[in-house]
């Protein structure tokens, strides 16, 4: 995908004008009100902006990604206000309060060279208060408003609050501000009181595939083309590689026209008045700032990856792995050195107990009131005297005397 902020295109061959019947370059990067396309959701969004600025006094936020077309929409809104409105346009949000007041005073045809900041602010308060009473439209337009400081948001709140509660203020008189910037403005503003004055917040979305086709055809028609050289497949390839961002659509289509005109000027056999998807892919490879990202989806299909994306070389991969291993080894060595340099943690002292000898278990002696068991094949044991613990031999019996 082409990066919005870094698109550089060198178009020095006029073959695209000659061979495609164009009277002007249809895809120039500069905002040209002649090529403003207000199809689809953009016309509805611009109508809401006009209504918010015309009928309500407050803050209007116009946010979106880089290259989405916010500047052309803001210029179209300013052109619709006409000469009856006073518009103070600030091209950059990086201003301090004094510079901000001087730019607004200059747009209001006041004395912007006042020495004192208090005098300058006093002139602005009187002018804006009179505009509220006479019904004159005053619009402050701040581009790159996402770069504003909190202090600057406070100054905007102060200017918008001039004339509040004035019983002589007319309903038609409105002092408003238009903040134009990136998508971050869609979130909460840093000044809570200023956030309460937001009457409309419009986040401009990228173009759909059908809107890209209508956008390309419109710009070709304004440039004088009698036919559209881009095939439907080529338009879909433009959408897939640009993500629907108008600035990137312009870059791809302009380069594709240059490549097609160059091929026909050189008499190439593959030259044709029809631009297909292959020529769009070649145009994408020829841009100096090309970045591959996951593109938008169309019914679940992701945009194809750019064919020019360089592959990682084996040598570079090996060098990266070797550097990682070296760093890992150095980290381990440093951890070991730091661990060895610290003294060991002393444990609390415990009394040393000598080892005890192991005593084998002794068989339990039979009770004294019972005779020991008699084994098979043995005679009955002599009774044991409990007082001495030894056997007593019974007296021998003598035979009776013979008669």
């Amino acid at each position: 995908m082409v990066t919005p902020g870094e698109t550089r295109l060198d178009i020095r061959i006029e073959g695209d004008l000659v061979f495609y019947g164009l009277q002007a370059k249809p895809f120039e990067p500069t905002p040209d009100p002649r090529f403003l396309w207000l199809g689809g959701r953009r016309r509805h969004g611009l109508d809401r902006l006009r209504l918010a600025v015309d009928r309500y006094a407050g803050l209007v936020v116009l946010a979106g990604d880089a290259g989405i077309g916010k500047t052309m929409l803001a210029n179209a809104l300013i052109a619709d206000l006409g000469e009856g409105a006073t518009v103070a346009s600030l091209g950059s949000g990086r201003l301090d309060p004094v510079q901000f007041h001087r730019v607004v005073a200059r747009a209001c045809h006041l004395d912007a060279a006042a020495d004192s900041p208090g005098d300058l602010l006093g002139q602005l308060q009187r002018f804006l208060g009179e505009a509220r009473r006479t019904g004159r439209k005053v619009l402050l337009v701040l581009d790159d408003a996402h770069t504003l400081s909190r202090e600057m948001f406070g100054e905007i709140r102060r200017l918008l609050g001039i004339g509040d509660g004035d019983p002589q203020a007319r309903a038609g008189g409105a002092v408003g501000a238009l903040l134009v910037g990136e998508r971050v403005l869609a979130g909460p503003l840093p000044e809570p009181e200023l956030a309460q004055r937001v009457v409309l917040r419009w986040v401009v979305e990228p173009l759909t595939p059908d809107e890209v086709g209508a956008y390309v055809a419109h710009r070709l028609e304004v440039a004088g083309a009698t036919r559209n050289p881009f095939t439907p497949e080529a338009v879909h390839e433009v959408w897939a590689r640009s993500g629907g961002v108008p600035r990137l659509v312009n870059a791809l289509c302009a380069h594709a026209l240059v490549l097609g005109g160059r091929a026909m000027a050189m008499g190439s056999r593959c030259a044709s008045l029809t631009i297909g998807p292959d020529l769009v892919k070649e145009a994408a490879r020829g841009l100096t700032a090309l970045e591959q990202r996951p593109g938008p989806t169309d019914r679940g299909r992701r945009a194809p990856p750019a064919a020019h994306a360089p592959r990682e070389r084996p040598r570079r991969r090996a060098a990266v792995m070797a550097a990682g291993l070296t760093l890992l080894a150095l980290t381990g060595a440093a951890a070991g050195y730091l661990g060895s340099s610290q003294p060991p943690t002393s444990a609390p002292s415990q009394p040393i107990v000598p080892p005890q000898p192991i005593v084998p278990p002794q068989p339990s002696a039979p009770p004294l009131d019972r005779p020991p068991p008699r084994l098979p094949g043995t005679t009955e044991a002599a009774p044991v005297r409990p007082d001495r613990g030894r056997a007593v031999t019974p007296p021998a019996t003598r035979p009776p005397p013979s008669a």
Side-chain angles (χ1 to χ4, degrees):
M1 182 183 294
V2 186
T3 306
E6 300 180 357
T7 303
R8 298 190 302 273
L9 202 59
D10 186 11
I11 305 178
R12 290 175 292 182
I13 299 179
E14 301 297 330
D16 54 341
L17 299 179
V18 174
F19 292 102
Y20 294 106
L22 300 173
Q23 301 176 3
K25 291 184 179 296
F27 300 107
E28 287 292 278
T30 57
D32 191 339
R34 297 180 302 165
F35 294 97
L36 176 64
W37 178 77
L38 293 177
R41 300 166 294 175
R42 301 212 165 195
R43 182 178 297 278
H44 175 66
L46 185 58
D47 290 340
R48 293 174 59 197
L49 282 181
R50 292 167 178 165
L51 181 63
V53 173
D54 185 62
R55 295 189 180 181
Y56 303 99
L59 184 66
V60 178
V61 178
L62 178 60
D65 297 329
I68 206 69
K70 302 182 297 294
T71 302
M72 293 193 68
L73 292 172
N75 292 339
L77 175 64
I78 294 173
D80 290 341
L81 294 177
E83 298 180 356
T86 301
V87 179
S89 297
L90 289 80
S92 176
R94 295 182 177 88
L95 296 175
D96 56 35
V98 177
Q99 294 174 340
F100 172 65
H101 293 158
R102 292 189 187 280
V103 173
V104 176
R106 191 177 298 110
C108 297
H109 306 286
L110 301 177
D111 184 13
D115 297 334
S116 174
D119 295 341
L120 186 61
L121 182 59
Q123 293 184 45
L124 287 175
Q125 291 176 345
R126 289 189 294 271
F127 177 83
L128 296 179
E130 184 66 21
R132 294 286 294 269
R133 289 188 292 270
T134 58
R136 183 178 180 85
K137 304 290 184 182
V138 179
L139 181 64
L140 310 177
V141 181
L142 294 94
D143 202 359
D144 292 336
H146 56 277
T147 62
L148 290 173
S149 62
R150 186 183 183 92
E151 184 181 13
M152 283 295 302
F153 279 110
E155 293 298 325
I156 297 173
R157 176 189 57 80
R158 179 188 299 182
L159 294 184
L160 293 182
I162 295 176
D164 289 349
D166 189 350
Q168 299 181 0
R170 296 179 55 181
V175 179
L178 174 62
L179 302 183
V180 183
E182 295 185 359
R183 190 179 288 266
V184 66
L185 292 177
L189 297 178
E191 184 68 27
E193 296 184 10
L194 183 62
Q196 297 175 1
R197 293 182 175 270
V198 176
V199 296
L200 176 64
R201 182 182 276 113
W202 178 24
V203 180
V204 186
E205 298 294 339
L207 303 177
T208 64
D210 294 338
E211 290 175 342
V212 169
Y215 174 84
V216 171
H218 168 75
R219 296 187 74 102
L220 288 171
E221 182 181 358
V222 173
T226 57
R227 57 179 296 273
N228 188 351
F230 290 88
T231 64
E233 295 78 10
V235 171
H236 191 275
E237 188 68 25
V238 170
W239 167 80
R241 292 184 174 271
S242 65
V245 178
R247 182 184 299 173
L248 308 183
V249 172
N250 294 342
L252 286 174
C253 292
H255 204 183
L257 289 176
V258 169
L259 293 179
R262 179 185 300 173
M264 286 185 288
M266 297 177 61
S268 175
R269 291 180 298 176
C270 59
S272 174
L273 291 176
T274 300
I275 297 177
D278 293 337
L279 192 58
V280 174
K281 295 177 183 179
E282 184 180 355
R285 289 193 296 267
L287 293 177
T288 57
L290 197 67
E291 180 182 1
Q292 179 63 28
R293 303 177 186 172
T297 57
D298 181 19
R299 296 181 181 179
R301 187 186 76 85
R302 283 196 175 274
H308 70 284
R311 297 181 178 179
E312 187 178 9
R313 298 181 179 179
R315 294 182 179 179
R316 183 178 181 181
R317 185 182 305 172
V320 172
M321 293 179 63
L325 293 176
T326 303
L327 180 60
L328 183 61
L330 293 176
T331 305
Y337 172 77
L338 293 177
S340 61
S341 61
Q342 297 179 356
T345 304
S346 59
S349 59
Q350 298 290 341
I352 301 176
V353 181
Q356 301 294 331
I358 300 176
V359 180
Q362 299 294 333
S364 60
L368 298 179
D369 58 347
R370 290 185 181 182
R374 183 168 57 89
L375 299 177
T378 61
T379 60
E380 184 178 358
V384 179
R385 297 180 61 178
D387 55 346
R388 295 183 181 181
R390 59 186 180 87
V392 178
T393 304
T397 59
R398 294 181 180 180
S402 59

